[in-house]
Amino acid sequence: MRLRLRNIFLVYFVVSSVGLMYALLQIGQPCDCKGTNAHGRIQHSVVKGHRDLPEDDHLPVIYVVTPTYARPHQRAELTRLSQTLLLIPSLHWILVEDSAERSKSVADLLAQSGLHYTHLNVQTPPVMKLKDSDPNWLKPRGVEQRNEALRWLKLNKSPKDFGVVYFADDDNTYSVRIFQEMRYTQKVSVWPVGLVGGLRYEGPRVEKGHVIGFHTAWKPHRPFPIDMAGFAVSLSLLLSHPEARFDPNAERGFLESSLLGQLVSIGDLEPRAHNCTKVWVWHTRTEKPKLKQEEILEKQGRGSDLNIQV
Amino acid sequence: MRLRLRNIFLVYFVVSSVGLMYALLQIGQPCDCKGTNAHGRIQHSVVKGHRDLPEDDHLPVIYVVTPTYARPHQRAELTRLSQTLLLIPSLHWILVEDSAERSKSVADLLAQSGLHYTHLNVQTPPVMKLKDSDPNWLKPRGVEQRNEALRWLKLNKSPKDFGVVYFADDDNTYSVRIFQEMRYTQKVSVWPVGLVGGLRYEGPRVEKGHVIGFHTAWKPHRPFPIDMAGFAVSLSLLLSHPEARFDPNAERGFLESSLLGQLVSIGDLEPRAHNCTKVWVWHTRTEKPKLKQEEILEKQGRGSDLNIQV
């Protein structure tokens, strides 16, 4: 009896010690911070690493391609967009500067963003470039930059990487919901875009789950009358068409069609956002800030401190 | 010996059982989801409740006061701002509509935002109201709405509620960092604002930790030449001045001064954002969208579906 009690005690001691060790190890461990928000649909991870860290294994990756160029409100726009993207799990931001080299300003912003990202650059040929005085519809912007991102994807991703590619300009407004809609795209998913083409919204018309036409007023004869913000393409579809690119010489309004025409036909389009009845992305434009007082102050020797990044 | 061993066993059994119970209870508990992001400074909580839930006990509450009015890009602006605010812990959004009654559109947006919020409304008297054709500097906007929020705070909060009040218009751009800077405000904290007053930035000039003047070109004789986005006021200071309000009749550019003059002097201002050398908020403006095609389509019987909220 004396021996048996000691044995029971020893076994219990070993088992409970292991349990206690486990409990002690749990204390002070960081949380795996993911949750659903109030509408119970959006998951997001708080602490994001950068591109060296593996992406979330459970979800297809959303590759957000953003062309950008230097201007007074660039940091504001990129800050705002980066904070929206921070709410989306398993997202990889491909930011492509229209410049001869990658700028320190953008590199710093990306490094502090908490996002997975890739920082690229390519300069638009001068002959194709919009001048400051040109109206912004005169020439398409960001074509070379989006194509550079497509090149990067083809070099760095393989058909076994499950993902979707979205072309998100830095001045539009994105609800977190639109990213949720596009994640599981077979070929090309589509949805309405607000405040574009002179209308409250432009978007696909859907019947019985299929796209049967488009609500648009401007150049309705375009093969795909869809704004850049109104579609996403599956990574595997892009990788299986390694030559697919945006055409820098496309007629005004035909840039989206120049890519989509190489990948799908209208019948392949997958309507999203409740059969294209919800507007969760808006074609907003930010006013060019007026900085007339800078010169005046400078002449008085009281100009802005150029060490202060704006 | 036999008895002593049994006693030791019993004591150990009781102690380890309590430990085991604790460990079991910890399993399956939701994480307290707060983390630091890549730059290691911003804490934020993922899962936000709504106004019925208690605010975070550990942090002073940031009351963000946003006046808003119906316009084509209102939902876009509020969506974008709400998603920025979602990244900030212990924040309460006081959204005040310039309208005779609270709109369903805004109420829905708030309900789905995942934020703590209060939805108010008050109509600007017609004589004070900016017309669609007026330049936006002609009359101050949002005065009655900000004052309504001050009234609400005075009715619903007591001096023991530790917090800070920030007036955040719905078109500006906010880095999450600026909220971190303002949280611990004794009286009034201040920092630079980008792209305002015709300059790259306007902001306090600081020497030895004290505000000694302002970098500004426009009406430098203003008592407080600070944009609405460039300061925050401690809740206790506001509650100890129950009559403090924005003056609806203030001269152009003097609206901020009309409130601050009732609360502090320049010497009381607390410089933030690395002694006012960092721009973490920008006075961006969104272009009025052109919706000319709507009428044309309507005449053709193909107008936008008004059930689709933009």
Side-chain angles (χ1 to χ4, degrees), chain B residues 42-245:
Chain B
I42 317 291
Q43 280 202 310
H44 84 251
S45 110
V46 182
V47 185
K48 298 277 188 160
H50 21 79
R51 55 180 159 170
D52 304 326
L53 296 176
E55 272 131 4
D56 193 316
D57 285 341
H58 309 295
L59 291 171
V61 177
I62 300 176
Y63 295 94
V64 174
V65 172
T66 302
T68 188
Y69 64 99
R71 59 198 192 277
H73 50 299
Q74 182 185 32
R75 281 184 78 79
E77 302 271 50
L78 292 178
T79 297
R80 184 149 64 176
L81 177 55
S82 73
Q83 292 176 172
T84 294
L85 301 184
L86 202 58
L87 291 163
I88 318 297
S90 195
L91 182 144
H92 185 130
W93 198 17
I94 304 177
L95 194 65
V96 195
E97 286 192 78
D98 184 349
S99 59
E101 46 189 47
R102 290 186 282 277
S103 69
K104 186 179 177 309
S105 165
V106 171
D108 289 351
L109 191 145
L110 282 169
Q112 294 178 356
S113 69
L115 293 165
H116 296 279
Y117 66 86
T118 296
H119 186 185
L120 304 173
N121 71 296
V122 60
Q123 200 158 26
T124 302
V127 64
M128 297 299 292
K129 204 152 182 165
L130 209 59
K131 286 183 203 120
D132 247 20
S133 54
D134 287 341
N136 60 22
W137 47 260
L138 192 69
K139 286 169 194 161
R141 212 170 218 156
V143 186
E144 296 300 333
Q145 290 72 39
R146 294 187 195 97
N147 283 341
E148 181 65 19
L150 291 178
R151 259 188 294 276
W152 184 89
L153 283 166
K154 279 157 196 174
L155 280 173
N156 292 279
K157 297 291 157 188
S158 78
K160 72 173 173 50
D161 294 311
F162 196 20
V164 62
V165 180
Y166 182 50
F167 301 96
D169 291 353
D170 60 4
D171 50 356
N172 290 335
T173 301
Y174 306 90
S175 165
V176 292
R177 299 185 189 197
I178 203 64
F179 298 96
Q180 210 63 11
E181 295 291 314
M182 72 181 68
R183 194 181 297 278
Y184 296 94
T185 295
Q186 296 300 311
K187 291 182 169 179
V188 171
S189 53
V190 289
W191 50 80
V193 177
L195 311 175
V196 70
L199 293 175
R200 291 174 63 239
Y201 65 89
E202 262 188 9
R205 289 189 296 117
V206 177
E207 250 179 46
K208 293 179 186 159
H210 295 284
V211 174
I212 54 145
F214 297 89
H215 175 65
T216 181
W218 185 67
K219 296 193 182 182
H221 60 284
R222 292 175 286 166
F224 292 86
I226 303 176
D227 184 77
M228 196 63 78
F231 69 92
V233 185
S234 83
L235 181 65
S236 64
L237 184 69
L238 275 172
L239 296 181
S240 66
H241 292 73
E243 298 311 315
R245 290 284 186 283

Side-chain angles (χ1 to χ4, degrees), chain A residues 153-182:
Chain A
L153 284 166
K154 279 158 197 174
L155 280 173
N156 292 279
K157 298 291 157 187
S158 77
K160 71 175 173 48
D161 294 312
F162 196 20
V164 63
V165 180
Y166 182 49
F167 301 95
D169 290 353
D170 60 3
D171 50 357
N172 289 336
T173 302
Y174 306 90
S175 165
V176 292
R177 297 185 191 198
I178 204 63
F179 297 96
Q180 211 62 11
E181 295 292 313
M182 74 181 67

Side-chain angles (χ1 to χ4, degrees), chain A residues 9-66:
Chain A
F9 179 43
L10 280 171
V11 168
Y12 185 79
F13 179 77
V14 168
V15 169
S16 63
S17 294
V18 169
L20 196 64
M21 282 283 283
Y22 174 78
L24 283 171
L25 284 171
Q26 286 301 304
I27 294 170
Q29 279 294 310
C31 273
D32 179 20
C33 276
K34 289 178 188 166
T36 53
N37 74 356
H39 41 91
R41 299 176 60 247
I42 317 291
Q43 278 202 312
H44 83 251
S45 106
V46 181
V47 185
K48 296 275 189 161
H50 18 79
R51 54 179 158 168
D52 304 327
L53 295 176
E55 272 130 5
D56 192 316
D57 285 342
H58 309 295
L59 291 171
V61 177
I62 301 175
Y63 296 93
V64 174
V65 172
T66 302

